[in-house]
Amino acid sequence: MNKTIVIYGSSTGTCRSIAETIAERLGAEALDVQNLDKATIEANDNLILGTSTWGAGEMQDDWYEGIKTVKSADLTGKVVALFGCGDCESYGDTFVSGMGELYNLLKDSGAHFVGAVPTDDYNYEDSEAVVGGKFVGLPLDETNEPEKTDSRIASWLEEIASELRA
């Protein structure tokens, strides 16, 4: 099996575009969380999950139903990597916190999380996505730092490549 899928929730299209870029570089499929089912989760060993952040640091709306589907599957032994879209200037106090919410809902699922990112290259006030001094996944800010997105994705994928089940 050892397949990889990129699952995203996107309201404006930004998270979808990033998911498609990540999927293309991995030779994987990008799937909107609205189209997710338990069989798809179970058919893949590597899950790359992405969400934008809304309101006071919440996941993108479609994830609230989607997370039920993810949690209904047996995630034991699966490799999970997270990415999040946020706005560090306008929402610096909740920067990519939706990614942190996704992590908190799945951290005890039996999955193996990979892809934590140091915080030092980011300008923000606070984030629920920071655990142990690192972001729980890849934070991206297409609003204020679009010029950094491509290199951040490339570096992150290089980092996690050896941890994804081949």
Side-chain angles (χ1 to χ4, degrees), residues 91-107:
Y91 301 98
D93 59 336
T94 60
F95 181 58
V96 297
S97 286
M99 179 172 65
E101 185 176 2
L102 196 54
Y103 171 78
N104 286 329
L105 289 167
L106 296 174
K107 68 182 178 184

Side-chain angles (χ1 to χ4, degrees), residues 7-13 15-16 31-36 50-52 54 58-70 101-102 105:
I7 303 163
Y8 64 90
S10 187
S11 294
T12 64
C15 197
R16 180 190 73 233
L31 181 69
D32 189 312
V33 71
Q34 296 178 84
N35 301 320
L36 183 62
T51 184
S52 48
W54 293 92
E58 291 93 25
M59 300 181 294
Q60 191 271 344
D61 289 345
D62 298 328
W63 269 108
Y64 290 99
E65 284 302 313
I67 197 69
K68 294 175 188 175
T69 303
V70 174
E101 185 176 2
L102 196 54
L105 289 167

Side-chain angles (χ1 to χ4, degrees), residues 6 8-22 30 32 50 83 85:
V6 181
Y8 64 90
S10 187
S11 294
T12 64
T14 300
C15 197
R16 180 190 73 233
S17 176
I18 290 169
E20 290 169 349
T21 297
I22 291 170
D32 189 312
F83 69 94
C85 302

Side-chain angles (χ1 to χ4, degrees), residues 2 20 43 46 53 68 70 76 88-89 102-103 110 112 128 139:
N2 302 328
E20 290 169 349
N46 304 306
T53 297
K68 294 175 188 175
V70 174
T76 305
C88 67
E89 289 185 18
L102 196 54
Y103 171 78
H112 174 65
E128 293 297 317

